[in-house]
Amino acid sequence: MNGEPEVHEEFEARLKAYEGRPAAATGVGRDPVNEPMIRHWCEAMGDTDPAYTGPDAVAPPTMLQAWTMAGLSRRPERTAAYDELLGLLDESGHDAVVATDCEQEYLRPLRPGDGITFDSVIESVSGRKTTKLGTGYFVTTRTDIRAGGELAGTHRFRILKYAPAHRPKGPDARKERRPRPVVNRDNAGFWEGVARHELLIQRCTGCGTLRFPWLPGCNSCGCPEWDTVEASGEGTVYSYVVMHHPPFPAFTASDHAAATAGPFAVGLIELAEGVRIISNVVGVPYDKVRVGMPVRLCFRQYDDELVLPVFREVTR
């Protein structure tokens, strides 16, 4: 045991040696920045900012990564260095992975016709960290996006490679808790409302626009000031997907109408107030959920701490 710190220091020094090495081969955007993609993005996001239309249009800054995506038919080529780093972590028992967060920095607007190039580097490998998931290392890659050779923005993507903490097996596995929502300073008020069985929608005090999910500022006018209104609970299924996944003890048959832990329907619910929220559609078989189905909000208590908003079909 006396030598354990030295072992960790040696291992972490090996990990640190990968910092600054390429993570992926230099890539070229499949398409130049273009108006149709900008239009589709704005329609999907409900963003009506006039800066994104007309002869002097620019692309929404948050589209930065969209211009670098490889699509479903091909994947970006990872470098040998990145594969070696992940392999080293796998061999040491840190073989589970979860994406933790991403950061973007915008340096200049992207305009229709801009040709995109990008390259990725292993920016940092953290020291050993202990999390609720287990002990592991955060690996951050940075992608630099260029337009016409000029740096237009950066995209940092961080994963945790970890050794899973012990999970109970057998009968005790059913006691495992459901994953908790990520609560931060921007959405804490929403979850406080949920705990009181209230579904709160942000309202801009500058222009009155309602918005969901919660954001620090208004997409319509940029005003940072806001208050809230409580949703009536009435809504319709705007779209939905059916989730198929291996059984997970925290998600039990009682969560869904089916006799097993899946499949189950996840709906994009359009509330009567005009905003949309993603939530489970419960109390109805997954294969009976339909676009346009009227639903009503209810709150489900999953354990002593966790309350979540869900939606039930409204029967006529």
Side-chain angles (χ1 to χ4, degrees), residues 241-297:
V241 296
V242 175
M243 298 293 294
H244 301 261
H245 63 86
F248 182 62
F251 294 84
T252 65
S254 63
D255 293 340
H256 319 298
T260 65
F264 60 95
V266 177
L268 177 60
I269 309 301
E270 185 163 79
L271 299 177
E273 291 75 15
V275 299
R276 298 169 189 160
I277 180 174
I278 296 175
S279 182
N280 285 108
V281 180
V282 302
V284 59
Y286 70 90
D287 56 353
K288 299 299 183 183
V289 176
R290 294 289 182 269
V291 171
M293 173 187 290
V295 291
R296 181 163 183 80
L297 171 70

Side-chain angles (χ1 to χ4, degrees), residues 3 9 20 35 40 47 54 59 67 70 73 78 85 89 92 103 112 124 128 133 207 217 222 231 235 243 273 278 313:
E9 289 177 6
E35 293 177 5
H40 295 323
D47 195 336
W67 310 111
S73 61
R78 294 198 314 207
L85 171 60
L89 288 163
S92 65
E103 301 173 9
S124 66
R128 189 170 64 151
L133 292 175
C207 67
M243 298 293 294
E273 291 75 15
I278 296 175
E313 179 186 15

Side-chain angles (χ1 to χ4, degrees), residues 27-28 43 53 104 123 139 143 203 216 240 242 252 266 288:
V28 178
E43 288 177 352
T53 60
Q104 291 186 342
E123 185 172 63
V139 178
T143 300
R203 177 174 59 189
Y240 69 95
V242 175
T252 65
V266 177
K288 299 299 183 183

Side-chain angles (χ1 to χ4, degrees), residues 101-170:
D101 62 280
C102 67
E103 301 173 9
Q104 291 186 342
E105 181 180 6
Y106 313 118
L107 301 176
R108 89 148 174 83
L110 295 177
R111 296 179 173 83
D114 280 340
I116 301 299
T117 58
F118 55 94
D119 55 76
S120 297
V121 65
I122 302 167
E123 185 172 63
S124 66
V125 184
S126 76
R128 189 170 64 151
K129 305 291 184 181
T130 299
T131 73
K132 289 184 179 180
L133 292 175
T135 299
Y137 298 86
F138 290 93
V139 178
T140 304
T141 55
R142 187 191 76 243
T143 300
D144 292 334
I145 295 97
R146 294 178 171 81
E150 179 184 359
L151 187 62
T154 61
H155 176 84
R156 287 179 173 84
F157 188 72
R158 188 172 294 110
I159 63 173
L160 172 65
K161 288 284 289 179
Y162 65 99
H166 172 72
R167 289 175 177 165
K169 296 181 180 180

Side-chain angles (χ1 to χ4, degrees), residues 37 75 226 232 274-275 311:
M37 283 184 66
R75 300 179 63 85
W226 52 270
S232 67
V275 299
F311 289 84

